[in-house]
Amino acid sequence: MTRVTMICSGNICRSPMAEIILRHLLDEAGVDSVDVDSAGIGDWHIGEGADPRTVAVLQRHGYDGSAHRASQFDASTFASYDLVLAADRGHVRALQRGARTDADRAKIRLLREYDPEAVAAGTLELDDPWYGGTADFERCLSEVEAACRGLASELQRDLDRASS
């Protein structure tokens, strides 16, 4: 089982979007050997649902974010993950500070590294829509979908190689 976690600030906007979208894409592809979850760097929203604007934008695009409950990333769990995907460089720095080994640090990447267009444009940060409006949540979802499509394809290729 491959384990992936998505990380943002409070686990109510960007990382739940990424968790829900990646899980959906993997389910559509029939990939059941990847476990996906999400968490925040901070503890501000533990136990709360996703931001209502996140749930609304997900719903408009055919995803269900209603069951999400925020949690905080615990650095002692690095060993249980294969990939720890951050929304922005601030999260990468926080995760690197919490990583205890080089192997843990090697698991940390920016989510948008899986979107070839973002890589080509050099726009690897996933801006926080929290302070914005509907357009900001729509942009965020679009960016997350592109990255998750690339990630799902890569995970599927890796699994196919491992099984052959």
Side-chain angles (χ1 to χ4, degrees):
M1 179 69 71
T2 299
R3 293 207 59 219
V4 178
T5 190
M6 309 294 189
I7 305 295
C8 71
S9 298
N11 192 218
I12 60 168
C13 294
R14 295 170 286 179
S15 59
M17 271 188 207
E19 173 189 357
I20 291 160
I21 291 169
L22 180 60
R23 189 177 293 137
H24 177 85
L25 293 171
L26 292 170
D27 286 347
E28 278 188 337
V31 176
D32 60 0
S33 57
V34 178
D35 182 47
V36 184
D37 65 24
S38 64
I41 293 294
D43 63 358
W44 315 286
H45 301 288
I46 292 175
E48 295 176 18
D51 184 287
R53 298 166 296 175
T54 298
V55 175
V57 75
L58 285 165
Q59 186 175 23
R60 281 194 298 276
H61 292 270
Y63 305 104
D64 182 6
S66 63
H68 175 77
R69 292 295 171 259
S71 63
Q72 182 179 17
F73 184 74
D74 179 350
S76 70
T77 64
F78 261 113
S80 65
Y81 291 103
D82 299 289
L83 284 172
V84 179
L85 301 175
D88 63 40
R89 286 183 176 84
H91 303 129
V92 168
R93 287 189 296 275
L95 290 164
Q96 288 173 336
R97 283 191 301 271
R100 296 178 181 155
T101 67
D102 288 339
D104 289 346
R105 279 183 283 286
K107 298 173 184 183
I108 303 166
R109 296 182 65 180
L110 287 165
L111 173 61
R112 291 196 73 200
E113 289 179 36
Y114 292 94
D115 176 358
E117 289 184 23
V119 171
T123 55
L124 298 181
E125 299 243 352
L126 184 58
D127 292 332
D128 193 346
W130 171 261
Y131 297 103
T134 301
D136 298 290
F137 280 83
E138 289 286 347
R139 174 206 35 83
C140 186
L141 184 128
S142 176
E143 293 171 356
V144 168
E145 276 186 323
C148 285
R149 277 190 217 102
L151 175 57
S153 293
E154 185 167 316
L155 289 168
Q156 193 163 15
R157 277 192 305 275
D158 290 349
L159 292 168
D160 289 346
R161 274 188 290 243
S163 66
S164 42

